[in-house]
Amino acid sequence: MFVLEKIAEYAKDANRKAVIHGDKVMTYAQLEHYSNAFADYLLKNGSNKTPVVIYGHKEEQFLPCMYGALKAGRAYVPVDITFPADRLEMVLSDVAPEFFVKLRETDVAVKEGTQSLSIDKIDDIFASYKGGAVANENWVKPEDNCYILFTSGSTGRPKGVPINRANIENLYNQLISWCDIEAETDIITNQISFSFDVSVVSVYMGVSLGKTLYTIDKSMMETPAALYEGLGSSNLSFWVSTPSFAELCAMSEHFNEKMLPNLKRFLFCGETLTHKLVDTLHERFPNADVVNTYGPTEATVLVTASLITREMAEDPKPIPIGEPLPEVEFRIVDDKGNLLKSGETGELQIISDNVGHGYYGRPDLTEKVFFETESRGQKKRGYRTGDAAYEQNRLYYFCGRMDFQIKLNGYRIELEDIENNMVKVENVSRAVVIPVMKEEKVDYLAAFVLLTKAIDGPKLREITRIKSELAKLVPAYMVPRKIVLCDSLPTNTNGKVDRKVLAAQL
Ligand code: AMP
């Protein structure tokens, strides 16, 4: 597999840096050695090929464990610490892994047959390994899954999206032109948590091209002084993130070409890129390209890419999500599946070898959105995105979702996931979650809540209790910022809750 072969090749240069995290550096030689050590451990101690679940956040052991799993012919399932214990337990129950790597402490229960490996154990495995490269006949094969990412599911249970080696290699071959900056010393961001697919650009494309991953972790992001100091000393040349992270950085006027003099390209994915951000970046980084890309996890990270010109930024139309990559076909269809004409808005379907094979262990969900079709004379997989879009002059424009899925600060959230978890909180009988918009994007979430029993104490205390109970069931970013306790909910003529009326109250 290209990324594993490339790591071995770059490891021959003992000084080549793979990852920088604060004042720690991991060379490609160490990455190669540690991933071989972990692969060897899995091969010697494992009895099946179940995916390896890795729980943590940007620890230096995370990447070697991911590549080590691939070298041992297994997929990995990265679970970020934003997942509360309840969700982590659901993932463990769906995957039933033989190995569970705990890079952070958690008291989550594991089933019999699952071996938990603590961070100390992983360090031991790395330190004690005396062997060499793990033979590549053990590596994942083209049809084998490389990773499974769990995303928000409307039922209140996350759903796993497996992506195989062929999907990733197909993406790599098409994206290479957008990633290829010549110098060996190129430094690329490693900010997106590994459980979110935009990180794949750095983990697969960045590493395959021998770049250095510059880590920006959660604690850095929570302390503006540390973030700006880190960025200032990073010497980044290639930026990959959601627009939300760049917006956060742009809150300081010092986020400009002086802070990052070698920055040549911003590559965005995952949510709407706003005019405001494009204008800011064009002004503050006149020598850097801004590239917008679009894609769902189900179709391997991204399926478009477009350089955003000043002309596009000046056009009042939304910033385009771009042109499909060469192998990708887009279809815009109406609600009966009929193809629409250029300029007409409908659901966007992706037809490509980048489309995965469905949801992990969920044929019912798979059947609803994945399909097979013919494209350019070949059999291909298709995916119904649920995104409304239109095409004009070969560029595609995103017009929002057709269902209750949203993006908040780059996180993919099914509003029904929150609603279904809120009713598990004591004294909540019904919850309706509304996204509040600002400047082309969701600004925050608000929930209208009906209680089972009237409360005696102050409303604020009840709201705080609901929020903290909910935070045990869903990641913190899914807890609505505003909760409104109400006696009844407005309904429309179909008898359904009228979300528009509720939104107008905010
Ligand atoms: P995820 O699976 O987390 O990557 O989320 C996929 C969804 O994010 C898509 O179906 C879109 O709704 C949204 N999305 C991804 N990229 C973009 C983009 N460049 N502009 C607008 N929305 C996007």
Side-chain angles (χ1 to χ4, degrees):
M1 183 184 194
F2 64 94
V3 71
L4 303 179
E5 282 157 19
K6 289 288 186 181
I7 294 172
E9 189 184 317
Y10 301 132
K12 289 179 193 149
D13 170 356
N15 298 318
R16 192 161 183 149
K17 294 175 187 163
V19 186
I20 298 177
H21 192 172
D23 45 20
K24 287 191 201 144
V25 172
M26 178 162 60
T27 60
Y28 272 93
Q30 286 168 316
L31 183 57
E32 168 72 356
H33 184 73
Y34 298 157
S35 54
N36 283 329
F38 188 55
D40 181 73
Y41 181 87
L42 294 176
L43 289 167
K44 291 200 172 122
N45 294 277
S47 58
N48 59 39
K49 290 281 179 205
T50 51
V52 179
V53 176
I54 312 173
Y55 174 72
H57 175 79
K58 300 284 178 202
E59 293 77 10
E60 56 181 328
Q61 296 84 352
F62 216 124
L63 278 171
C65 287
M66 281 158 54
Y67 299 125
L70 299 178
K71 287 185 176 187
R74 292 181 189 246
Y76 58 84
V77 185
V79 182
D80 191 72
I81 48 167
T82 45
F83 270 52
D86 203 65
R87 292 226 147 191
L88 174 58
E89 234 164 60
M90 289 178 187
V91 172
L92 288 167
S93 133
D94 283 2
V95 177
E98 190 175 19
F99 296 100
F100 171 37
V101 178
K102 289 201 295 188
L103 300 177
R104 292 283 173 106
E105 230 0 273
T106 163
D107 49 15
V108 78
V110 292
K111 286 194 187 142
E112 224 188 283
T114 298
Q115 273 188 56
S116 291
L117 304 175
S118 68
I119 192 160
D120 292 341
K121 176 70 187 168
I122 296 292
D123 280 341
D124 263 6
I125 294 171
F126 290 176
S128 59
Y129 188 59
K130 300 280 180 286
V134 166
N136 41 10
E137 59 259 27
N138 295 299
W139 296 2
V140 280
K141 310 277 178 299
E143 66 287 356
D144 290 342
N145 289 333
C146 287
Y147 60 77
I148 305 171
L149 301 183
F150 277 78
T151 78
S152 175
S154 57
T155 55
R157 200 181 169 89
K159 54 183 189 240
V161 183
I163 292 299
N164 71 18
R165 182 179 137 183
N167 294 142
I168 299 174
E169 289 182 335
N170 194 43
L171 171 66
Y172 175 77
N173 291 332
Q174 296 179 76
L175 191 64
I176 200 89
S177 58
W178 291 104
C179 282
D180 206 356
I181 300 178
E182 294 297 311
E184 281 185 7
T185 51
D186 275 336
I187 300 178
I188 185 168
T189 47
N190 172 27
Q191 177 267 330
I192 311 270
S193 80
F194 296 131
S195 56
F196 181 33
D197 74 338
V198 178
S199 66
V200 165
V201 178
S202 303
V203 171
Y204 286 87
M205 319 301 144
V207 169
S208 297
L209 293 165
K211 308 211 177 299
T212 302
L213 271 51
Y214 184 83
T215 306
I216 300 166
D217 64 16
K218 210 164 168 272
S219 68
M220 232 170 128
M221 284 172 57
E222 285 164 357
T223 325
L227 174 64
Y228 295 118
E229 199 189 305
L231 286 175
S233 61
S234 67
N235 205 20
L236 279 169
S237 42
F238 193 110
W239 182 285
V240 183
S241 81
T242 58
S244 288
F245 178 58
E247 278 161 9
L248 176 87
C249 297
M251 283 165 78
S252 160
E253 58 186 291
H254 300 297
F255 181 67
N256 57 27
E257 203 177 38
K258 254 196 200 152
M259 181 183 269
L260 298 169
N262 284 321
L263 196 70
K264 299 189 190 74
R265 177 162 293 160
F266 287 94
L267 188 139
F268 292 114
C269 190
E271 60 176 343
T272 300
L273 176 60
T274 62
H275 282 89
K276 191 174 166 193
L277 181 61
V278 173
D279 291 345
T280 307
L281 298 179
H282 277 160
E283 188 195 312
R284 296 200 203 165
F285 295 90
N287 296 309
D289 292 342
V290 176
V291 175
N292 193 19
T293 73
Y294 154 92
T297 307
E298 287 84 341
T300 320
V301 195
L302 57 92
V303 282
T304 71
S306 261
L307 182 68
I308 304 303
T309 60
R310 280 168 200 271
E311 207 184 349
M312 288 171 184
E314 278 159 20
D315 191 330
K317 282 206 298 281
I319 299 291
I321 55 174
E323 270 184 76
L325 295 173
E327 180 270 342
V328 177
E329 184 196 333
F330 273 4
R331 291 178 192 162
I332 305 278
V333 298
D334 66 13
D335 53 5
K336 295 186 182 64
N338 301 313
L339 271 185
L340 293 176
K341 291 199 211 80
S342 177
E344 292 179 337
T345 302
E347 185 183 26
L348 173 60
Q349 295 186 343
I350 301 168
I351 291 92
S352 163
D353 287 339
N354 284 18
V355 170
H357 287 76
Y359 297 108
Y360 192 68
R362 294 300 306 268
D364 53 328
L365 295 180
T366 301
E367 204 184 312
K368 283 188 190 148
V369 288
F370 288 86
F371 57 94
E372 291 209 334
T373 186
E374 205 167 281
S375 172
R376 300 164 193 165
Q378 281 184 312
K379 218 170 120 195
K380 297 267 169 178
R381 279 183 308 283
Y383 174 66
R384 299 184 183 91
T385 62
D387 288 327
Y390 67 90
E391 174 271 331
Q392 209 167 54
N393 300 328
R394 296 184 46 236
L395 285 175
Y396 283 78
Y397 294 83
F398 173 75
C399 314
R401 290 289 304 175
M402 307 178 79
D403 57 11
F404 295 128
Q405 183 184 298
I406 56 117
K407 277 291 172 103
L408 174 61
N409 297 328
Y411 293 111
R412 171 169 160 175
I413 302 171
E414 298 276 356
L415 298 176
E416 293 143 306
D417 189 356
I418 307 175
E419 293 170 357
N420 283 322
N421 276 292
M422 274 189 114
V423 294
K424 293 182 195 160
V425 172
E426 202 196 317
N427 206 29
V428 173
S429 70
R430 180 83 208 268
V432 178
V433 179
I434 306 283
V436 181
M437 307 295 291
K438 186 179 165 192
E439 287 165 2
E440 308 175 59
K441 287 174 70 175
V442 177
D443 187 27
Y444 68 92
L445 297 176
F448 289 84
V449 167
L450 294 182
L451 297 178
T452 316
K453 282 188 294 193
I455 45 163
D456 297 332
K459 275 189 175 180
L460 188 61
R461 195 166 69 201
E462 185 67 351
I463 289 171
T464 311
R465 183 190 65 82
I466 295 173
K467 283 190 183 180
S468 69
E469 291 295 311
L470 182 63
K472 293 181 193 154
L473 304 171
V474 298
Y477 57 80
M478 284 171 66
V479 176
R481 187 197 295 172
K482 183 167 178 175
I483 292 187
V484 183
L485 302 181
C486 40
D487 299 325
S488 63
L489 292 167
T491 47
N492 59 23
T493 43
N494 298 331
K496 289 188 181 169
V497 171
D498 197 330
R499 289 170 185 263
K500 283 200 186 109
V501 170
L502 289 175
Q505 292 177 21
L506 292 164

